[in-house]
Amino acid sequence: MTLIKSNVNVEEQAMEAKKASKKLLVLSAEEKNAALLHLANVLEREYETILTANEKDLANGREKGFSDAFMDRLSLSQERVKDFAEGLREVAKLDDPTGNILLDWKLENGLQVEKVTVPLGVIGMIYEARPNVTVDATGLALKSGNAIILKGGSSAINSNQAIVDVIHKGLSETKIPKEAVQFIASTDRAATNQLFTMKEHVDVLIPRGGGKLIQAVVENATVPVLETGVGNCHIYIDKEANVEKAINILVNAKTDRPAVCNAAETVIVHKDWLAQNSEALVDAFQQNGISVHGDEHVMSVIPGAVLAGEEDWANEYLSTDIAVKSVNDLTEAIAHIETYGTKHSEAIVTEDSKAAQTFLSLVDAAALYHNASTRFTDGGALGFGAEIGISTQKLHARGPMGLPALTTVKFLMKGDGQIR
């Protein structure tokens, strides 16, 4: 059973968020941190309420035959709720990103100029079957002084509503107004489309999910978009790659959490390395249940591999399937990434420092790795606390977006009667 509200007034919610964002501007870092710590405690205390609602979404998912990967992203447990709470505590420990003087100087006429970080204002967050985003995005928004409007996917609507109810309960006991967190509890696309176009109330939209969702937001929104991207991530195993490192990195990047955007979807292998180490690679695939879609050369080397089509090179499998491409050199590997990559996360495994530097210099992506797994493209793993998404664009923010990405700047001029 899915919770659907037909009387949702998105414009009214946006107006309330805008008013609340003004109240957030006058709160101290200590007051915001105290609110986040209180929310963490309330979430842990109310976990049963959240899990009861989540079970409704899971039952709906089972009825509709959602994939295992999708169900994993949707599923909550007491431990995962504790992780939500711990994420809020980690965000509370971070420095306040607002009110920082980035530059200051004095003009010849005595006018003092400061460039200062300030909140964006109101963030519209549009996402799919990840209830954790409801908490992560809320924590980051409030810490950075922003109000947030949450529009989750219909598959998690009961879970998200319960989480927001708990957040509102907690905020009512803090200095942060509960109106700073709005949830659009409707599966009506008209409600989402309305959010896309309210420039007078919403300052930025952040879509987080599959390619179709992101494309829909980018193509239809009149509100500025901080674009996150899908993750067709590659690992290139160079001819000078250490066998143990290559296998460990590949297995981790593919199997640790196959359904996330920083998991590896394609491994590119130098033919010389493959010729010498095919047995180790085959063992790794078989022991970890990885299904291979390869080119003709790969099929001749790896038993059970199926022929990869054009769609495989571009596919974000989000499963234990992987595409395997054999190449003659580094140039060919980079060209393949340039053609099929999504500018998310790309890795090279090699002991050749020159090859590594060439890869890091020429590959265009938000995150690049030498001898490490792509799974580190994550706000928490990089020390940002939680993240609100991973940007694959180049304007304003790129890569995992933590607190600094949720701010903009003001120029403050202080004078003593100067005129021009």
Side-chain angles (χ1 to χ4, degrees):
M1 179 180 177
T2 299
L3 172 66
I4 300 176
K5 292 186 178 180
S6 58
N7 60 342
V8 169
N9 188 325
V10 178
E11 184 174 14
E12 184 177 309
Q13 288 185 278
M15 292 173 67
E16 288 184 356
K18 194 74 170 180
K19 289 178 184 177
S21 72
K22 304 301 182 184
K23 296 178 181 179
L24 283 168
L25 291 174
V26 299
L27 296 182
S28 67
E30 290 75 19
E31 288 170 326
K32 291 185 289 186
N33 290 338
L36 292 181
L37 293 174
H38 183 66
L39 282 185
N41 294 335
V42 174
L43 280 167
E44 285 185 334
R45 190 175 70 222
E46 300 286 342
Y47 78 93
E48 289 182 344
T49 299
I50 295 170
L51 297 188
T52 298
N54 182 241
E55 182 52 42
K56 295 179 183 179
D57 292 327
L58 293 175
N60 183 54
R62 288 189 288 268
E63 183 180 327
K64 293 185 176 180
F66 291 159
S67 69
D68 290 343
F70 193 95
M71 292 292 282
D72 176 62
R73 295 196 296 273
L74 181 61
S75 180
L76 296 180
S77 63
Q78 184 178 2
E79 190 62 33
R80 285 191 175 182
V81 174
K82 285 184 177 180
D83 289 342
F84 297 169
E86 193 56 38
L88 289 178
R89 295 186 181 106
E90 290 302 315
V91 171
K93 293 177 185 177
L94 300 174
D95 292 337
D96 194 316
T98 64
N100 298 320
I101 300 173
L102 302 179
L103 295 171
D104 69 284
W105 67 97
K106 184 179 287 188
L107 302 182
E108 290 183 1
N109 63 8
L111 192 65
Q112 186 70 39
V113 185
E114 293 179 346
K115 182 180 181 182
V116 182
T117 57
V118 296
L120 290 168
V122 177
I123 298 169
M125 188 75 196
I126 303 165
Y127 53 108
E128 293 178 322
R130 293 181 186 271
N132 65 293
V133 175
T134 304
V135 180
D136 291 349
T138 295
L140 288 169
L142 298 181
K143 171 79 176 193
S144 54
N146 295 287
I148 189 164
I149 304 171
L150 300 157
K151 178 63 179 75
S154 60
S155 58
I157 193 166
N158 294 288
S159 305
N160 289 330
Q161 180 68 72
I163 291 169
V164 172
D165 287 345
V166 171
I167 288 172
H168 282 166
K169 181 177 181 179
L171 288 180
S172 67
E173 301 166 339
T174 74
K175 295 287 187 179
I176 294 179
K178 67 178 184 179
E179 292 79 12
V181 181
Q182 299 287 333
F183 176 64
I184 300 176
S186 171
T187 57
D188 189 347
R189 288 187 179 180
T192 307
N193 292 337
Q194 191 176 1
L195 181 62
F196 287 179
T197 57
M198 292 193 297
K199 290 180 68 174
E200 66 273 28
H201 305 307
V202 182
D203 295 286
V204 64
L205 292 175
I206 302 177
R208 182 169 172 178
K212 290 182 179 179
L213 169 68
I214 295 167
Q215 185 178 10
V217 176
V218 171
E219 291 181 352
N220 295 295
T222 58
V223 177
V225 178
L226 257 176
E227 183 179 349
T228 62
V230 296
N232 183 17
C233 305
H234 299 75
I235 292 176
Y236 169 53
I237 301 177
D238 185 53
K239 66 177 179 179
E240 300 299 332
N242 174 277
V243 178
E244 184 177 1
K245 286 181 188 177
I247 297 298
N248 288 341
I249 288 169
L250 170 59
V251 169
N252 175 261
K254 179 71 264 185
T255 67
D256 179 53
R257 285 198 69 188
V260 296
C261 63
N262 58 21
E265 303 293 9
T266 299
V267 58
I268 305 171
V269 189
H270 195 288
K271 287 182 178 178
D272 291 349
W273 188 94
L274 184 59
Q276 297 174 23
N277 302 290
S278 60
E279 185 176 342
L281 188 62
V282 169
D283 286 346
F285 286 145
Q286 292 178 345
Q287 290 175 17
N288 291 279
I290 300 172
S291 301
V292 175
H293 306 251
D295 58 32
E296 291 184 357
H297 179 70
V298 168
M299 288 181 65
S300 69
V301 176
I302 298 178
V306 298
L307 184 63
E310 187 71 13
E311 68 281 0
D312 288 292
W313 306 128
N315 200 0
E316 187 183 26
Y317 291 108
L318 303 176
S319 68
T320 51
D321 286 67
I322 196 167
V324 182
K325 172 72 174 177
S326 60
V327 296
N328 293 302
D329 53 32
L330 174 61
T331 300
E332 192 177 340
I334 292 174
H336 184 88
I337 294 171
E338 183 72 21
T339 302
Y340 299 102
T342 53
K343 304 184 188 303
H344 192 293
S345 302
E346 311 291 358
I348 181 173
V349 185
T350 186
E351 300 305 304
D352 182 342
S353 60
K354 185 177 179 180
Q357 188 55 50
T358 299
F359 184 92
L360 298 178
S361 298
L362 295 183
V363 174
D364 183 14
L368 294 162
Y369 296 87
H370 174 207
N371 287 347
S373 170
T374 56
R375 288 282 289 115
F376 289 100
T377 308
D378 174 84
L382 294 178
F384 300 163
E387 69 180 29
I388 205 161
I390 297 172
S391 171
T392 54
Q393 64 182 29
K394 296 184 180 180
L395 297 179
H396 177 68
R398 197 178 197 198
M401 293 187 290
L403 292 171
L406 303 184
T407 65
T408 183
V409 298
K410 279 183 179 178
F411 284 86
L412 306 180
M413 275 67 77
K414 301 173 183 178
D416 187 31
Q418 289 89 340
I419 61 174
R420 182 179 180 186

